[in-house]
Amino acid sequence: MKLLSNNDSLTREEYLKECSLSSLKPEDVFTSASITAAYLNSCEVSEVRLVGSDGFKRELEQAGIKVEGGSDHSPFEDVPLDIDLFNNYPANEGVQAVVVGTDPGFTYSKMCLASLYV
């Protein structure tokens, strides 16, 4: 049996624990995050900018992908993002892709920063 889910907020291991599915192994679980990680690895993408949940970030990191951003990352929490801050933001040149999933702390600033890499 396989389990497929579009829920990216949990890793495969966390999904099995949360749902009490001890009969399955993590390799039997496919989430939008795990499939994204597998696809990025097949494209040899090693670093991404994430607008998404902590579970998505953990799944990408478990797949060996370096992650910038995530639900906990907002460098402009205390200061409103204006055009000068945006234009002078030091974008990470190592980022090869932007990954977007469910982000409970989504902000306009996160979207703007992700757009630097598109």
Side-chain angles (χ1 to χ4, degrees):
M1 183 168 86
K2 307 289 184 198
L3 175 67
L4 290 87
S5 173
N6 67 348
N7 182 346
D8 64 20
S9 67
L10 301 172
T11 65
R12 292 172 289 167
E13 293 83 0
E14 292 166 344
Y15 211 102
L16 290 175
K17 186 176 180 182
E18 184 81 16
C19 296
S20 301
L21 296 170
S22 59
S23 63
L24 295 177
K25 297 177 183 171
E27 342 26 278
D28 297 324
V29 178
F30 298 90
T31 67
S32 53
S34 68
I35 293 169
T36 299
Y39 176 76
L40 291 169
N41 276 331
S42 75
C43 296
E44 299 181 1
V45 171
S46 60
E47 189 167 356
V48 300
R49 176 71 190 198
L50 174 66
V51 178
S53 67
D54 293 336
F56 206 150
K57 184 175 185 175
R58 287 189 299 275
E59 191 72 52
L60 292 169
E61 290 172 339
Q62 287 176 5
I65 298 167
K66 186 175 177 186
V67 180
E68 176 179 292
S71 68
D72 61 343
H73 184 76
S74 183
F76 302 109
E77 277 182 26
D78 301 326
V79 180
L81 178 62
D82 63 24
I83 194 66
D84 291 327
L85 285 172
F86 178 75
N87 286 335
N88 293 306
Y89 184 78
N92 178 349
E93 293 183 16
V95 169
Q96 300 166 286
V98 174
V99 177
V100 180
T102 304
D103 186 342
F106 179 80
T107 64
Y108 177 74
S109 296
K110 289 182 181 183
M111 181 183 66
C112 288
L113 293 179
S115 75
L116 290 171
Y117 300 97
V118 178

